[in-house]
Amino acid sequence: MAKESGLGMTMSVDDSGGTQRALTNDVTDVKWEMSSDVQDTTGIDKSAHERLLLLADFSITLNGVFNDAATTSSFAVFKDYRTLASSQVGRTTTMVHSGQTLANEVLYDHFDFTRGSDGSLTWESGGGVSDGTVPVWS
């Protein structure tokens, strides 16, 4: 595969009813991490570290422009995150780029707003994997 830019990426997140909503037009940038814990198992007989790979994790932060124009907008999707967070319900979050798909069940833990001095109104929402499934590109 050739080197590519991030142009053409799509992003969708379940709304509170479980319907996948395309948020590509509202999301301005996204950061995700696919990490694992590591246990140091180095014995005193070693001169370099020994490690074991432990639990996998996934976290995501979405940033976007305020949009409450429709039931499919980012505001409609995230405005009730607290209700879902308290009931421990994950939302399917799907990123697609260059024929690669990364879908995870995410428990969103915040939906924050910033009103800039220039009058802009932006938001940030994020969370982590909620169902114990290892994140995998397909």
Side-chain angles (χ1 to χ4, degrees):
M1 172 180 256
K3 295 176 184 176
E4 299 180 31
S5 71
L7 300 176
M9 175 180 255
T10 64
M11 172 68 57
S12 57
V13 178
D14 281 0
D15 64 16
S16 60
T19 301
Q20 191 89 162
R21 301 295 186 184
L23 300 183
T24 303
N25 191 48
D26 290 355
V27 174
T28 58
D29 59 280
V30 58
K31 177 183 178 183
W32 67 94
E33 297 178 9
M34 298 169 61
S35 60
S36 292
D37 289 329
V38 177
Q39 179 182 1
D40 189 321
T41 60
T42 309
I44 61 172
D45 61 333
K46 300 291 190 244
S47 297
H49 285 280
E50 284 181 307
R51 295 183 176 98
L52 294 175
L53 203 55
L54 302 175
L55 293 174
D57 201 2
F58 174 85
S59 62
I60 190 167
T61 302
L62 303 169
N63 295 286
V65 177
F66 184 78
N67 176 6
D68 65 350
T71 58
T72 59
S73 69
S74 55
F75 184 75
V77 168
F78 291 117
K79 70 181 180 180
D80 58 357
Y81 85 92
R82 283 189 157 289
T83 304
L84 292 177
S86 65
S87 62
Q88 299 299 306
V89 175
R91 295 185 184 209
T92 304
T93 301
T94 306
M95 294 179 286
V96 179
H97 182 64
S98 187
Q100 308 297 319
T101 301
L102 181 61
N104 292 287
E105 292 299 313
V106 174
L107 185 64
Y108 285 89
D109 58 22
H110 67 281
F111 185 39
D112 302 330
F113 295 88
T114 301
R115 194 277 190 185
S117 60
D118 60 357
S120 60
L121 184 57
T122 59
W123 57 266
E124 175 187 287
S125 187
V129 69
S130 66
D131 67 350
T133 301
V134 175
V136 177
W137 286 96
S138 61

